[in-house]
Amino acid sequence: MKVSEALSSRRSVRGFLDKPVDLDTLRRVLAFAARAPSGGNVQPWNIVVITGEPKQVLVNAVALKIATGEREFPEYTVYPEALPDPYRTRRFGVGELLYANLGIPRADKAGRLAWFTANFRFFNAPVGLFVHTPTYMGLPQWADLGIYLQSVMLMLREEGLDSCPQECWVTWPETVRRFVPIPDGHLLYTGMSIGYADPDEAANRTNAERAPVDETTTFLGF
């Protein structure tokens, strides 16, 4: 698979087949992804991969908290509070596209909330992945984490697998820490669902548009 093919076919998959993912495949993906660049070769990523009973115990624990109306405090804010355009339009546009594919109108608040909670089942993916990093890491290292995650997702495509990066998991840091070995002094950066995409899942028809190059890029000296 060419890099261009991996990039064009990668998307946030929100419905997975009930098909296990081989451990050797995951090891191979993570070994290649570790070739991602990082400033000073710091490699600030720390990974926990979870499946089977441990994953189900975590999912059940979060489901219970959601059902009882409990909340936890995220360890960082995912989006700026006053996100201006064009970023705000892009963010809400992909959400509306997703719910349109699902047939859940804006007025159906309960339906949208119920769908959102599917995040915390990893969208029924067989594998979950968490990334954590020391709290003293700065913005350059956070950029390194993004490069690493992109490398993971592209390598998953080469193996015929799909994924969904899920920063939403940072809203349950205490519960995640109960079941996932994240050491003190480390921050929960993100989660990710991994598996084989379900071709019949309506949500998987969502393919968000990207801004054209001339909208985001200035060329000088050409």
Side-chain angles (χ1 to χ4, degrees):
M1 179 181 289
K2 294 181 179 179
V3 175
S4 58
E5 293 170 338
L7 278 166
S8 61
S9 64
R10 191 220 65 80
R11 63 198 188 283
S12 293
V13 164
R14 297 177 175 88
F16 294 85
L17 298 174
D18 183 16
K19 179 180 178 181
V21 179
D22 181 68
L23 176 58
D24 288 340
T25 300
L26 291 170
R27 286 184 176 276
R28 185 164 56 249
V29 164
L30 297 177
F32 275 109
R35 298 300 308 171
S38 60
N41 198 32
V42 167
Q43 304 171 64
W45 45 81
N46 296 269
I47 314 301
V48 178
V49 185
I50 186 170
T51 191
E53 183 177 356
K55 180 175 75 71
Q56 192 59 49
V57 170
L58 169 61
V59 166
N60 292 345
V62 174
L64 179 60
K65 290 213 167 190
I66 292 173
T68 56
E70 293 186 53
R71 297 184 66 182
E72 296 177 6
F73 294 98
E75 296 178 332
Y76 70 91
T77 301
V78 175
Y79 299 104
E81 289 187 10
L83 189 66
D85 278 331
Y87 313 107
R88 183 181 184 277
T89 296
R90 293 171 187 165
R91 180 191 172 196
F92 285 98
V94 69
E96 290 305 308
L97 178 61
L98 170 63
Y99 286 119
N101 286 332
L102 292 168
I104 305 176
R106 179 182 289 273
D108 187 359
K109 304 294 186 183
R112 291 194 170 198
L113 179 61
W115 172 256
F116 181 74
T117 61
N119 274 282
F120 305 109
R121 297 193 299 273
F122 294 101
F123 298 111
N124 297 324
V127 174
L129 179 148
F130 291 101
V131 181
H132 59 94
T133 194
T135 55
Y136 51 74
M137 293 297 180
L139 293 178
Q141 288 75 50
W142 280 45
D144 295 340
L145 294 175
I147 297 171
Y148 171 82
L149 286 169
Q150 173 79 320
S151 301
V152 170
M153 291 185 284
L154 296 183
M155 285 306 307
L156 288 169
R157 290 301 305 126
E158 182 176 294
E159 296 284 352
L161 289 156
D162 284 283
S163 61
C164 184
Q166 297 173 279
E167 291 167 317
C168 62
W169 277 103
V170 306
T171 60
W172 296 105
E174 297 173 23
T175 303
V176 171
R177 288 174 181 277
R178 282 174 53 200
F179 301 102
V180 176
I182 299 176
D184 293 340
H186 278 221
L187 175 143
L188 172 59
Y189 181 73
T190 193
M192 180 185 288
S193 298
I194 296 173
Y196 296 93
D198 181 353
D200 297 325
E201 171 55 60
N204 290 343
R205 295 198 297 268
T206 305
N207 190 11
E209 294 293 329
R210 296 298 190 265
V213 171
D214 288 341
E215 182 179 320
T216 61
T217 309
T218 300
F219 294 97
L220 300 176
F222 290 89

